Amino acid sequence: GAGVSQSPRYKVAKRGQDVALRCDPISGHVSLFWYQQALGQGPEFLTYFQNEAQLDKSGLPSDRFFAERPEGSVSTLKIQRTQQEDSAVYLCASSLGGAGGGYSGANVLTFGAGSRLTVL
Amino acid sequence: AQSVTQLGSHVSVSEGALVLLRCNYSSSVPPYLFWYVQYPNQGLQLLLKYTSAATLVKGINGFEAEFKKSETSFHLTKPSAHMSDAAEYFCAVSGTSYGKLTFGQGTILTVHP
């Protein structure tokens, strides 16, 4: 597609429910990132995929958070037993380059519009 | 490790006035630096990036930023503010081989007529 697509755009969950957030990156993009943006804050890194491999999950706040990208395209972020502190906008981003073959720090990330999660 | 500090969570200017949004970074490796803009209920949009080719970087919508290694700064400027510039702006640094970004807290720009 032309951009990064995320669904649902808005999700309200009761505390303790499980939620799943979907990200459809730009076709052909190797890298995929998930970020969490709390109200009034900058985005914070959660996890990184290069194709289907999850190479960095250092930002996941607890074992209730799980992400996958089984075929190297669409990714799902799952949050189990949601808590009020999980309320945030979850942003997905993709980029063309990956980690292999040299320094790709200049890769430009293209962000989706985000999924806003509210936990009651 | 990388970190970013944006000085001033809110900046207010008059239409036509100079815009200056401040960003200081810390990085253990030569950094790549970015400015993103976020409009309400939208994702982040890239304004410009520094990748060591030139210290003065020009971006979209008339914005530019200057990389100053001695000051560890990457301030964003625009000579003349427009009402449509009102948004939240984020400075970010990348120091990994795969482009993982570390963001600042953001600066909300308000433009008064």
Side-chain angles (χ1 to χ4, degrees), chain A residues 9-10 31 33 35 37 40-43 45 48 56 58 91 95 98-99 102-113 116, chain B residues 29-32 34 36 38 41-46 49-51 88 90 94-106:
Chain A
R9 286 294 315 277
Y10 302 92
S31 292
F33 300 79
Y35 282 82
Q37 186 176 20
Q41 303 295 316
F45 171 81
Y48 165 70
D56 186 347
S58 62
L91 296 169
S95 69
Y103 189 68
S104 301
N107 284 341
V108 173
L109 273 59
T110 301
F111 284 83
R116 181 180 297 275
Chain B
V29 297
Y32 289 151
F34 304 78
Y36 280 85
Q38 186 176 37
N41 298 317
Q42 295 186 28
L44 298 160
Q45 179 184 359
L46 180 70
K49 68 177 184 179
Y50 165 75
T51 58
E88 188 161 18
F90 292 93
S94 169
T96 67
S97 64
Y98 48 90
K100 168 184 171 182
L101 295 179
T102 300
F103 286 88
Q105 295 288 82

Side-chain angles (χ1 to χ4, degrees), chain A residues 52-65:
Chain A
E52 70 279 3
Q54 189 175 21
L55 298 186
D56 186 347
K57 53 182 181 179
S58 62
L60 295 177
S62 75
D63 58 7
R64 296 186 296 104
F65 286 71

Side-chain angles (χ1 to χ4, degrees), chain A residues 57-98:
Chain A
K57 53 182 181 179
S58 62
L60 295 177
S62 75
D63 58 7
R64 296 186 296 104
F65 286 71
F66 173 76
E68 61 182 3
R69 193 185 185 199
E71 298 179 357
S73 179
V74 171
S75 177
T76 303
L77 176 67
K78 298 179 180 178
I79 309 173
Q80 297 177 322
R81 304 181 303 281
T82 53
Q83 304 295 315
Q84 285 188 324
E85 61 262 29
D86 299 335
S87 295
V89 176
Y90 291 85
L91 296 169
C92 177
S94 69
S95 69
L96 186 61

